[in-house]
Amino acid sequence: MGPTRLRHLVLPACIAAAAVLAATPATAHVPEQAASQQAPALAPAGVASTLDTLARQVATSLTDRTARRTLTSALRSGPVDLSTLRTDTTLTGRVRTADQAVRTAKGLPASTGSLVRARLADDSMAAALAAGTVPLVATAPSDDDATSITAYEPDGRRVLLDPVRMPTRPVIVVEVDVAKALPAGLDILRQALAQRGVAPAAAPAALANGGYWATKVNAVRLSDDQEPWIKGAAEVYSIVSGFGLDGHPKVDIVQMPYLDYDGTTYYPNQLLVHFSAYKYNLADVVMMEDDGDTNYQQLAQAIAAVLLTIFDVGAYIPLVDAILSAIPTSWWTDDPDFVDAWYTLSTGSSGHLNGAGAHGWLEVSPYWVAPL
């Protein structure tokens, strides 16, 4: 089945504060009443409900053979931006509405562009799709521990799929193009934090003064945990925090676009912590994932509200717990966005560092950033 996508085990609140740390059939037609009894739905909210509605609409559009041929042909070459399809004017309008709803739910501007896309759940399904097998259409459940995945037939009937055993029938997945959303979202996050008084730690002036020390990630690996086959690659970023020269908390947001799958070791040689404007030679790292639902405006508000209440007392205070306490409660239930955390990295940190939550490790070394 190929590598599994990142799966993040949510720490109980008490552990996080202290250390920061049944098979079902592969495919089964289920009447509406029975389906609801076997897989109780969560209250509709934001991105998840928008994508589920659009998945059903895409499925019904496949009753038109021309529309089905156009979409399935495009999917054999990779993920498809649904706003580019021009076979069904009704579906075009629905995609536009879904795009707008997703951007609003994620706190992104219209300039971000279209974010709703479709892809094959697995490359192995391409042959059956090319042979003319009519696909199902689904979206990944917001709960990684869901006991079933809801997919749709072209006639609108719901089909419950086993989240562990991949079906042989092709499945088209409707999802957020997180690789496109994340860079835009992180820009919003940086701007929103700065506007609320939590400035970035990077200081270009440090180069003019002769350079500065940084922490370089030589290798990184996250835990190999089973997750539904329908999930795609992860989009990971880190919130790096410490005390600035003025004694106030500072935050840098670092994207880690290569970190797609768990159970895989990556060798990025990426600078993660820049000590150019920190009062102490210590900083913390909270690794996060955008699973499609992240609202960057809300995240910035929450983090700023907590960090602005913390002041330098003459000794370094880890900021991990404060950042984790700021994460909206809903993110710890159905769609955990927290990956792991590393406390008090210093200018001398080197070697193998396990995450506080035991979900992964970093191999790091000091790096001197010299002026040109």
Side-chain angles (χ1 to χ4, degrees):
M1 187 169 83
T4 58
R5 182 179 165 279
L6 293 174
R7 165 113 159 79
H8 314 314
L9 306 180
V10 180
L11 301 177
C14 58
I15 297 177
V20 189
L21 301 165
T24 57
T27 303
H29 287 281
V30 182
E32 288 294 325
Q33 183 176 0
S36 63
Q37 291 173 352
Q38 294 184 39
L42 298 170
V47 173
S49 59
T50 297
L51 294 180
D52 181 70
T53 297
L54 185 60
R56 185 175 67 252
Q57 293 167 341
V58 170
T60 57
S61 75
L62 300 182
T63 55
D64 182 291
R65 291 188 177 182
T66 300
R68 185 169 73 233
R69 185 165 52 249
T70 299
L71 177 56
T72 56
S73 296
L75 285 170
R76 291 199 292 271
S77 300
V80 175
D81 180 344
L82 288 174
S83 70
T84 63
L85 294 178
R86 293 292 182 266
T87 58
D88 185 330
T89 55
T90 300
L91 182 61
T92 298
R94 289 169 172 171
V95 169
R96 188 182 304 113
T97 299
D99 258 327
Q100 183 177 351
V102 167
R103 285 195 300 270
T104 299
K106 293 179 69 62
L108 296 174
S111 58
T112 307
S114 59
L115 292 176
V116 179
R117 72 175 191 175
R119 64 171 172 85
L120 272 182
D122 191 82
D123 291 342
S124 64
M125 298 175 175
L129 199 66
T133 303
V134 177
L136 296 166
V137 183
T139 188
S142 58
D143 184 355
D144 288 338
D145 295 320
T147 57
S148 64
I149 294 169
T150 300
Y152 295 96
E153 292 274 12
D155 63 9
R157 284 180 297 165
R158 292 201 301 170
V159 179
L160 296 185
L161 303 178
D162 186 337
V164 176
R165 186 173 49 167
M166 188 189 309
T168 56
R169 184 173 172 183
V171 178
I172 296 173
V173 181
V174 174
E175 64 184 6
V176 175
D177 186 348
V178 183
K180 184 177 180 180
L182 183 60
L186 296 188
D187 285 342
I188 293 292
L189 182 56
R190 295 183 186 101
Q191 295 168 15
L193 284 171
Q195 289 169 359
R196 290 167 173 78
V198 182
L207 288 176
N209 294 330
Y212 65 90
W213 283 104
T215 298
K216 180 164 69 78
V217 178
N218 300 314
V220 55
R221 184 184 179 94
L222 298 177
S223 301
D224 186 4
D225 298 294
Q226 292 301 313
E227 191 171 51
W229 49 266
I230 198 170
K231 294 283 191 174
E235 291 294 336
V236 175
Y237 60 98
S238 288
I239 302 172
V240 182
S241 60
F243 285 92
L245 299 176
D246 60 1
H248 295 293
K250 306 294 181 184
V251 168
D252 281 329
I253 309 297
V254 181
Q255 187 176 357
M256 309 178 84
Y258 51 87
L259 198 50
D260 291 335
Y261 298 100
D262 63 5
T264 302
T265 302
Y266 296 90
Y267 303 91
N269 291 318
Q270 180 183 26
L271 297 184
L272 180 61
V273 184
H274 298 265
F275 290 96
S276 52
Y278 286 135
K279 179 177 180 179
Y280 303 99
N281 71 329
L282 298 170
D284 301 318
V285 175
V286 176
M287 190 179 289
M288 305 284 290
E289 176 192 0
D290 183 344
D291 223 3
D293 70 328
T294 305
N295 184 299
Y296 301 97
Q297 292 282 2
Q298 291 178 359
L299 180 59
Q301 269 185 327
I303 291 176
V306 170
L307 293 186
L308 290 176
T309 66
I310 300 174
F311 299 95
D312 177 29
V313 294
Y316 186 74
I317 302 172
L319 299 174
V320 169
D321 294 343
I323 291 174
L324 290 181
S325 71
I327 297 174
T329 304
S330 62
W331 291 12
W332 297 95
T333 52
D334 306 316
D335 195 8
D337 296 85
F338 168 72
V339 180
D340 213 327
W342 285 262
Y343 281 80
T344 55
L345 272 70
S346 74
T347 51
S349 291
S350 181
H352 185 97
L353 304 177
N354 290 319
H359 300 156
W361 53 260
L362 301 174
E363 192 81 32
V364 304
S365 62
Y367 186 88
W368 178 254
V369 181
L372 294 175

